Amino acid sequence: MAQLNMVQAINQALSQEMARDDRVLLLGEDVGRDGGVFRVTEGLLERFGRERVLDTPLCESGIMGAAIGMAAYGLRPVPEIQFLGFTYSAFEQLFAHAARLRSRSRGRYSCPMVVRTPYGGGIKAPELHEESTEALFCQVPGLKVVVPSGPYVAKGLLLAALRDPDPVLFLEPTRLYRLLREEVPEGEYLVELGKARVARPGNSVTVVAWGSMLERVLKAVEGYDAEVLDLLTLNPFDSEAIISSVQKTGRLVIVHEAAKTCGFGAEIAATVAEAAILHLRAPILRVTAPDVPVPLAKLIDYYLPDAQQIRFALDEVLQY
């Protein structure tokens, strides 16, 4: 079985789904001739032609609006926004139109599109290129939010997203694009949306993470009897898997690279407090970035949660 990185796994998923379903098409800045800012769509223009791989002007709201129209028409568009920080100018299209098309039309129309965008820190890029504001989008009913943590799940999640009848925001951790290689089957397989996976079994503490933080968490918990959950989908998230694990371990640490205040960890903590507080032996702790704008390149390593911070949190909850 081939060992692929995340760029190659996502490219393979797009290529296979475009071959299977001629309604799938790509659009975005530089997705055609240049193969995308990280070369994720490299070679797809040559294989599928200009009618299905469209280079667009520099206009995120226009890209999103065109994709919504295509989806309502019956196509399966995959708009790429070069970085999550550039998605804000298209937020109105996502919030007011894509996510509401099904409810607004009483089910007559849907918006089956997958918005792909690189996100997260660790590549020492300029301002707005390392944002991790996934919680903003998780509060949009009707919009699914998916975050792969490695090449294998990236391919399976993307294929599942491409066949979903409603809009999906697919957040691709830039730090992981070429960091990891995993065995990825050449044939198609789906990873179900809305389901977490146990990345590492354990009994003493539950650690919840997603995206690029999972790789960091798995290294940090070496030597601990920790159960690590990889959330994979943030909206809707697998609350049953988290509660079940916390009922077993009695402790919960949540790790994410977004800022702490109103980060998605707060939603997880509230859910566990509502459903499983009597099973907790220790306070719920969050390991996050500080509540400041994402810094420029020289400070990014101080901004992102590191293994030492994660181990401090584990030691603290294990005191109880």
Side-chain angles (χ1 to χ4, degrees):
M1 192 179 302
Q3 294 266 343
L4 304 183
N5 61 33
M6 189 180 287
V7 168
Q8 295 167 323
I10 293 172
N11 179 281
Q12 189 177 91
L14 290 171
S15 180
Q16 291 179 352
E17 194 64 6
M18 292 178 77
R20 190 191 74 86
D21 185 346
D22 61 10
R23 298 173 301 170
V24 178
L25 58 89
L26 316 182
L27 68 158
E29 297 155 11
D30 298 329
V31 298
R33 189 168 61 180
D34 287 346
V37 66
F38 288 96
R39 305 298 180 262
V40 173
T41 55
E42 194 167 43
L44 299 182
L45 172 65
E46 291 75 13
R47 181 175 180 187
F48 295 101
R50 294 182 181 278
E51 291 190 349
R52 297 183 65 194
V53 183
L54 289 76
D55 279 320
T56 68
L58 188 67
C59 180
E60 284 76 16
S61 61
I63 295 168
M64 203 69 74
I68 293 168
M70 291 175 181
Y73 180 71
L75 298 173
R76 295 270 178 169
V78 185
E80 176 183 308
I81 304 298
Q82 287 197 337
F83 291 90
L84 181 62
F86 303 160
T87 308
Y88 308 145
S89 61
F91 188 79
E92 193 271 343
Q93 295 279 8
L94 274 174
F95 178 80
H97 301 296
R100 293 170 180 244
L101 193 56
R102 179 180 292 281
S103 61
R104 180 178 292 154
S105 66
R106 306 296 187 267
R108 185 177 179 187
Y109 298 106
S110 63
C111 189
M113 70 174 188
V114 177
V115 182
R116 292 184 42 252
T117 183
Y119 102 115
I123 58 169
K124 302 187 187 304
E127 190 174 16
L128 290 174
H129 291 65
E130 302 199 71
E131 302 282 300
S132 179
T133 50
E134 61 269 30
L136 291 176
F137 301 90
C138 290
Q139 207 181 22
V140 180
L143 179 66
K144 296 184 177 70
V145 179
V146 175
V147 188
S149 56
Y152 177 86
V153 294
K155 179 179 177 181
L157 286 168
L158 182 54
L159 286 173
L162 289 165
R163 299 178 191 184
D164 195 272
D166 292 302
V168 177
L169 179 63
F170 197 81
L171 301 176
E172 301 168 5
T174 53
R175 196 174 68 85
L176 299 184
Y177 265 147
R178 292 178 173 84
L179 180 68
L180 306 173
R181 282 186 174 272
E182 293 177 350
E183 290 188 347
V184 177
E186 187 171 350
E188 74 165 45
Y189 60 92
L190 305 182
V191 175
E192 185 178 0
L193 304 186
K195 293 292 184 184
R197 71 182 179 103
V198 177
R200 180 184 190 273
N203 296 293
S204 297
V205 56
T206 299
V207 185
V208 176
W210 55 89
S212 74
M213 283 298 105
L214 183 79
E215 179 264 347
R216 200 157 283 184
V217 165
L218 288 174
K219 290 180 178 176
V221 301
E222 290 180 7
Y224 293 86
D225 185 17
E227 179 151 285
V228 178
L229 296 184
D230 179 8
L231 219 46
L232 297 177
T233 301
L234 301 186
N235 189 30
F237 75 101
D238 192 349
S239 58
E240 289 185 9
I242 298 172
I243 291 167
S244 175
S245 180
V246 170
Q247 287 174 338
K248 178 177 66 173
T249 66
R251 303 175 180 88
L252 174 61
V253 173
I254 305 158
V255 182
H256 60 65
E257 64 176 281
K260 186 173 189 177
T261 299
C262 293
F264 197 68
E267 179 63 27
I268 295 171
T271 299
V272 171
E274 289 171 348
I277 194 168
L278 296 181
H279 294 273
L280 289 171
R281 303 177 191 173
I284 299 170
L285 294 187
R286 290 173 286 165
V287 182
T288 72
D291 288 338
V292 298
V294 180
L296 297 178
K298 286 186 177 178
L299 294 177
I300 193 68
D301 290 337
Y302 297 97
Y303 174 82
L304 297 174
D306 60 25
Q308 186 178 34
Q309 291 172 293
I310 297 167
R311 286 194 286 267
F312 279 160
L314 294 174
D315 291 338
E316 186 168 343
V317 298
L318 287 170
Q319 290 178 3
Y320 292 86

